[in-house]
Amino acid sequence: MQGLGPMLALVFVLVISWVLSPFAAALSTNYYDHTCPEVESIITRVVKKAMMNDKTVPAALLRMHFHDCFIRGCDGSVLLNSTAKNKAEKDGRRNISLHAFYVIDHAKKELESQCPGVVSCADILALVARDAVALSGGPSWNVPKGRKDGRISKATETVRLPDPTFNISQLQQSFSERGLSLEDLVALSGGHTLGFAHCSSFQNRIHNFNSTHDVDPSLQPSFAASLRKVCPMHNKVRSAGSGLDSSAITFDNIYYKRILLGKSIFSSDEALSTATTTKALVSKFANSQEEFYTAFVKSMIKMSSISGSGQEIRLNCRVVN
Ligand code: HEM
Ligand SMILES: *[C@@H]1O[C@H](CO)[C@@H](O)[C@H](O)[C@H]1NC(C)=O
Ligand SMILES: *[C@@H]1O[C@H](CO)[C@@H](O)[C@H](O)[C@H]1NC(C)=O
Ligand SMILES: *[C@@H]1O[C@H](CO)[C@@H](O)[C@H](O)[C@H]1NC(C)=O
Ligand SMILES: CC(=O)N[C@H]1CO[C@H](CO)[C@@H](O)[C@@H]1O
């Protein structure tokens, strides 16, 4: 029985490392080369078509991928519908105005007819996010692929998404929990060059800011006045709000210029200018769109690689197999 001890130990080590290793193997840019060679062109065509009908689509898709990756890794959990027994992420807090899920459905339908059961919903999200940026005038990049879809989506977990009232330490904490640095935080916040915010998301800055200031003094006064005009204290217009920057359908570096001018929308945007390191990055990106694009691509690939524990290729992105 001499040899059994080490043998058991070896088996033990193998089992443990299998359990601890993320099921997801490393992602690769050529993942579907043999199984679904047209995957990217099919998806790009669907995104282009949707954008022609609705200019809000790119912003929605970019944000959807971010919300997916921040909860349970990039595993398509944000796409799952609630069921009788389970309230899903999309019906949780901080999901306000997630939309354009139909674009994912269209892409999935095309892909299922070309290469059934092959392309994960999580990969579709990563690809549509890249297309959303590129087709809005921003940079393009090679997307690593091979994510698997998860089977769990819980509304209660969306409280773990960063809140627009967060200060710099809270933002740093939220990003570092996911392996993302301060540079990733500043670069990825540049996603706010696209899209729209409802009044409720920046209400804290324009009414009852704190006991000494009704309005956040870091807001440029006439800009604050214009926000207060669209978003009065007891706002009744549910769709009211503001573009996230002055060119909300173009992916550019104006977002950073506006932070420096006191014209950002969320406290979390303004917060980037409150610490020396992050402020230096805001200035760098405000001065050079090139530098912003390079950093954004690097950080998107990083965020987009946060691994989940998905194990299947969903056939319908809204329901588990
Ligand atoms: C840093 C922490 C972040 C916070 C606190 C935050 C918060 C928010 C909030 C509150 C909204 C507006 C929701 C509404 O009022 O309708 C929003 C919109 C948006 N966010 Fe973020 N976000 C953050 C990071 C990101 C990242 C990393 C990305 C992508 C790279 C992103 C992309 C977007 C986009 C594109 C929109 C516009 C969505 C649309 O128009 O449909 N955000 N964000
Ligand atoms: C998911 O929910 C949406 C919106 O409520 C609904 O239109 C759609 O039919 C649902 N899809 C599935 C497969 O349950
Ligand atoms: C950020 O907010 C947290 C929670 O309110 C607080 O403990 C912390 O001191 C704040 N940090 C900064 C830099 O303001
Ligand atoms: C209100 O906010 C301003 C600007 O951040 C700050 O200077 C002031 O001390 C705050 N007042 C209170 C009572 O916290
Ligand atoms: C897409 C969306 O906004 N879904 C839901 C987000 O959560 C609220 C509150 O739980 C729901 O009313 C929305 O339908």
Side-chain angles (χ1 to χ4, degrees):
M1 298 309 262
Q2 260 288 312
L4 207 55
M7 183 84 147
L8 277 177
L10 180 64
V11 169
F12 185 72
V13 165
L14 285 177
V15 167
I16 287 295
S17 53
W18 178 76
V19 168
L20 292 182
S21 74
F23 296 100
L27 305 177
S28 74
T29 53
N30 59 2
Y31 191 80
Y32 295 114
D33 280 7
H34 300 294
T35 51
C36 196
E38 300 299 313
V39 59
E40 306 217 5
S41 54
I42 292 172
I43 290 179
T44 306
R45 208 179 317 126
V46 169
V47 174
K48 266 191 188 151
K49 193 169 160 208
M51 276 175 73
M52 285 196 317
N53 295 322
D54 180 356
K55 298 245 177 295
T56 73
V57 159
L61 297 177
L62 177 58
R63 183 167 180 238
M64 208 185 283
H65 182 48
F66 157 57
H67 281 212
D68 186 31
C69 294
F70 263 52
I71 305 293
R72 298 186 166 268
C74 314
D75 68 344
S77 55
V78 72
L79 301 173
L80 289 171
N81 270 11
S82 291
T83 63
K85 287 197 188 127
N86 181 62
K87 198 168 159 197
E89 282 172 34
K90 61 168 74 154
D91 296 317
R93 272 174 62 193
R94 295 181 189 166
N95 72 353
I96 173 168
S97 72
L98 280 181
H99 66 288
F101 291 104
Y102 70 88
V103 181
I104 311 295
D105 295 334
H106 287 177
K108 183 62 173 171
K109 203 169 160 209
E110 296 270 319
L111 291 167
E112 283 305 301
S113 74
Q114 299 266 333
C115 15
V118 167
V119 182
S120 67
C121 298
D123 277 347
I124 296 176
L125 265 180
L127 288 164
V128 297
R130 187 273 315 274
D131 287 345
V133 170
L135 294 169
S136 302
S140 189
W141 62 94
N142 262 327
V143 176
K145 295 167 289 282
R147 295 167 193 76
K148 293 280 167 59
D149 297 323
R151 296 173 56 86
I152 301 172
S153 176
K154 293 186 185 301
T156 49
E157 293 180 343
T158 59
V159 295
R160 300 193 57 243
L161 289 165
D163 189 90
T165 63
F166 274 10
N167 65 29
I168 192 66
S169 22
Q170 294 168 305
L171 290 168
Q172 176 170 23
Q173 166 84 21
S174 167
F175 276 60
S176 73
E177 278 168 8
R178 288 143 175 115
L180 300 172
S181 66
L182 279 179
E183 170 144 15
D184 295 322
L185 166 65
V186 179
L188 291 170
S189 293
H192 291 165
T193 178
L194 294 180
F196 181 84
H198 291 83
C199 296
S200 58
S201 301
F202 53 89
Q203 160 95 7
N204 70 304
R205 301 186 80 190
I206 55 172
H207 303 290
N208 293 324
F209 177 66
N210 68 15
S211 60
T212 50
H213 294 76
D214 189 30
V215 174
D216 181 347
S218 63
L219 277 170
Q220 196 265 346
S222 64
F223 180 64
S226 70
L227 291 179
R228 278 163 63 96
K229 205 163 161 196
V230 249
C231 302
M233 176 79 131
H234 299 290
N235 169 50
K236 294 261 161 50
V237 187
R238 287 190 60 177
S239 62
S242 166
L244 281 172
D245 82 5
S246 53
S247 57
I249 61 166
T250 310
F251 195 95
D252 52 28
N253 66 339
I254 292 179
Y255 165 79
Y256 298 100
K257 298 185 186 190
R258 290 175 69 85
I259 291 179
L260 298 174
L261 294 171
K263 294 181 176 179
S264 65
I265 300 293
F266 305 131
S267 295
S268 60
D269 299 323
E270 168 59 26
L272 303 178
S273 73
T274 60
T276 325
T277 37
T278 53
K279 180 158 191 193
L281 291 165
V282 169
S283 300
K284 179 161 95 170
F285 299 155
N287 288 327
S288 166
Q289 185 153 280
E290 217 44 40
E291 299 254 29
F292 165 47
Y293 283 0
T294 306
F296 185 78
V297 166
K298 192 171 145 230
S299 297
M300 273 299 280
I301 293 174
K302 219 166 138 187
M303 178 180 85
S304 175
S305 307
I306 301 175
S307 61
S309 54
Q311 294 178 69
E312 65 185 28
I313 306 294
R314 241 176 256 155
L315 299 177
N316 176 333
C317 293
R318 296 179 186 254
V319 289
V320 298
N321 290 346

